[in-house]
Amino acid sequence: MVTPTVPPEAITPPMTPERAAAIASTFDLHALPPDFLANPYPVYAALREREPVRAMPDGSWFLTRHADLVAVYRDAATFSSDKHVEFAPKYGTDSPLYEHHTTSLVFNDPPLHTRVRKLIMGALTRRAIADVEPGLVALVDRLLDAIEARGQGDLIEDYAAAIPVEIIGNLLAVPHDERGPLRGWSLAILGALEPVLTPVQRQAGERAVREMLEYLRALVADRRRHPLDPQRDVLTRLIQGEADGQRLSETELLHNCIFLLNAGHETTTNLIGNALVCLHEWPQEKARLLQRLHATRDRPEQHEAVLAAAVDEFLRFESSNQLGNRRALRAAVVGGVPLPEGALVTLCIGAANRDPAVFADPERLDLTRSDNRHLAFGFGVHQCAGLSLARLEGRIAIGRFLARFPRYALSAPPVRGGRARFRGFVRAPFVTEG
Ligand code: HEM
């Protein structure tokens, strides 16, 4: 068993002013320090204090203050999400990755963004999300039963990663026996967004887009012949939206389905996995949470509120999605720094979510934190369309896990995914009774 000692964030190496200045003035997203992925937070803190709008060697800008991120998110007319310019040299304009990442709604501006978002939001209603809950509870309980029978398992493979694939699969009514490849495709396509891309990652991403397109062409053709209830089925809604004068081309339809299938995968897996690893590393916080859950067990509303606050704190503290990007369509000033027209801007969500200007004692996991204005879901016109679903998955997965295995413990050090953009683990072995 791995004994929780001091949370990694508490072992901050002595941060002298000289060290902070050196970190901030040499930071390059394309050449990260070796220990960065294990604990990026001291680097984020140095940047926030010293160079919150940092000019990087490749001419792009790296933003770490909460207020600056909010300002950029708010001004979508100046800060574009369209990635045609940025991704042309990265992928080549004739590659499947280029076609995919420049067609999905998240990387577009109005009018394509507005049309697709409206269709998706129309299907992700409060009622549709409430409908997801019974199936989600049953799925989670089945996974917990299987783990209980073995007395051990892997937090990621056996639990966190097994939940989102089914939920998103249900949302688009992907037949159960066809869901096998979805997670691998998602990891490969989103992995290709890393700041530095290896040839192997690129090839895996290209292959995944091609395979997913082929699969979805058949699924869409079948759904056109046999439509489902458009109030519930996102795919039927996207298809029928075409008939309402909100026509999506076949390419737009397919790539936005790919994006939807991918968007809620790794992010939600990481929310659940990061939360359960965090609780192991912060035993006192875990004990306090268990106490509050126990005290509210007969008051469903308060019980839900305890879990909701915890989920939002996990999202703040270890944000699944650490980086976002925008391109300045005209010259602008951010945080007092003039940015030229065409500036590529990286928004560091992980740093903004620990900004002491907004969060008291930001390096501490505080599961009772209120007024938690984290940016884990982004902000503004592109704010995560699946945030209610993700929060629901988080509450149910984390809450029911703790109710079943309150004394769980990691049995070996967890293994990180090795990505700067998506923060999470690929393995975290545990025993149910630590
Ligand atoms: C913990 C889980 C999740 C996190 C941390 C997360 C995070 C984010 C972030 C940061 C953005 C904004 C990107 C930007 O502004 O550039 C975003 C957008 C989006 N997310 Fe999520 N997401 C999660 C789960 C989900 C789920 C479950 C779904 C699907 C149902 C989903 C669907 C979307 C969509 C469609 C967009 C694009 C919205 C737009 O461009 O208007 N996400 N997400």
Side-chain angles (χ1 to χ4, degrees):
M1 200 192 41
V2 182
T3 314
T5 46
V6 186
E9 281 70 26
I11 321 172
T12 314
M15 184 60 80
T16 58
E18 294 74 26
R19 187 158 177 270
I23 289 175
S25 64
T26 55
F27 179 77
D28 180 359
L29 187 58
H30 295 92
L32 292 168
D35 52 353
F36 179 83
L37 293 181
N39 183 11
Y41 301 108
V43 175
Y44 290 165
L47 283 165
R48 237 182 3 242
E49 271 167 39
R50 304 275 161 165
E51 290 203 42
V53 183
R54 157 126 181 102
M56 287 199 292
D58 68 353
S60 68
W61 302 81
F62 193 82
L63 273 52
T64 43
R65 281 193 181 155
H66 191 280
D68 294 341
L69 265 72
V70 169
V72 169
Y73 279 130
R74 273 210 172 108
D75 187 359
T78 301
F79 292 100
S80 164
S81 288
D82 184 299
K83 298 288 183 283
H84 285 85
V85 171
E86 201 174 335
F87 285 171
K90 187 173 174 115
Y91 302 127
T93 51
D94 57 353
S95 79
L97 278 170
Y98 180 78
E99 183 182 76
H100 170 63
H101 284 310
T102 54
T103 311
S104 69
L105 80 159
V106 75
F107 293 151
N108 265 283
D109 297 327
L112 174 67
H113 169 255
T114 322
R115 273 186 296 151
V116 182
R117 184 168 174 107
K118 228 171 122 186
L119 291 173
I120 291 176
M121 293 311 285
L124 288 175
T125 57
R126 199 181 282 243
R127 199 178 102 202
I129 289 168
D131 282 354
V132 168
E133 189 163 344
L136 175 56
V137 168
L139 164 68
V140 161
D141 286 352
R142 274 199 309 278
L143 295 171
L144 293 172
D145 289 345
I147 292 170
E148 188 170 0
R150 295 197 306 272
Q152 60 177 359
D154 189 290
L155 287 178
I156 311 304
E157 281 302 315
D158 298 327
Y159 196 60
I163 299 167
V165 65
E166 292 301 317
I167 298 308
I168 302 281
N170 287 350
L171 219 58
L172 279 99
V174 174
H176 281 276
D177 57 350
E178 294 172 11
R179 293 179 186 181
L182 290 179
R183 179 163 177 244
W185 284 336
S186 159
L187 289 172
I189 294 171
L190 296 183
L193 291 173
E194 278 299 287
V196 180
L197 193 58
T198 65
V200 173
Q201 276 174 321
R202 178 196 305 272
Q203 281 158 15
E206 304 286 13
R207 197 171 46 245
V209 176
R210 273 196 295 267
E211 289 176 3
M212 233 174 154
L213 279 174
E214 193 184 322
Y215 172 70
L216 283 170
R217 266 190 209 104
L219 186 73
V220 165
D222 183 66
R223 199 62 51 84
R224 281 189 209 279
R225 284 193 300 272
H226 309 287
L228 299 174
D229 176 2
Q231 300 303 323
R232 303 275 162 81
D233 177 43
V234 179
L235 183 51
T236 303
R237 196 171 181 96
L238 287 171
I239 291 170
Q240 294 191 346
E242 298 172 55
D244 288 350
Q246 304 195 17
R247 174 165 281 278
L248 298 183
S249 70
E250 180 79 1
T251 308
E252 288 168 349
L253 175 65
L254 295 174
H255 283 294
N256 279 290
C257 286
I258 294 184
F259 178 72
L260 255 184
L261 283 165
N262 292 342
H265 252 152
E266 198 172 349
T267 46
T268 318
T269 299
N270 290 351
L271 161 61
I272 300 165
N274 289 347
L276 294 175
V277 172
C278 256
L279 285 174
H280 172 86
E281 289 174 344
W282 293 76
Q284 289 180 352
E285 209 41 33
K286 179 182 167 201
R288 277 195 287 266
L289 176 62
L290 286 171
Q291 219 168 42
R292 283 192 299 278
L293 289 173
H294 183 74
T296 55
R297 67 194 181 287
D298 298 325
R299 287 172 288 147
E301 265 182 37
Q302 282 91 336
H303 197 76
E304 281 291 285
V306 169
L307 279 171
V311 165
D312 272 282
E313 178 67 348
F314 292 127
L315 283 162
R316 179 193 77 82
F317 195 70
E318 286 284 22
S319 307
S320 320
N321 185 352
Q322 293 268 307
L323 306 175
N325 297 89
R326 296 294 188 266
R327 185 168 55 89
L329 296 178
R330 50 184 176 239
V333 175
V334 176
V337 177
L339 306 185
E341 177 185 335
L344 296 176
V345 176
T346 299
L347 305 174
C348 186
I349 294 171
N353 281 347
R354 294 193 182 202
D355 187 339
V358 177
F359 304 100
D361 205 358
E363 305 292 337
R364 196 166 79 77
L365 180 76
D366 172 4
L367 299 173
T368 58
R369 196 177 287 275
S370 57
D371 191 25
N372 194 338
R373 286 177 288 137
H374 68 74
L375 300 173
F377 291 120
F379 186 77
V381 293
H382 284 279
Q383 190 179 43
C384 180
L387 56 81
S388 303
L389 185 61
R391 283 184 166 127
L392 177 73
E393 289 182 62
R395 287 198 303 277
I396 290 180
I398 298 162
R400 294 184 89 80
F401 186 96
L402 287 175
R404 187 78 74 99
F405 307 128
R407 285 179 297 278
Y408 78 98
L410 296 189
S411 49
V415 180
R416 281 216 168 270
R419 297 174 184 219
R421 185 174 296 274
F422 294 103
R423 185 163 180 78
F425 298 94
V426 285
R427 275 196 306 283
F430 77 104
V431 286
T432 55
E433 290 288 324

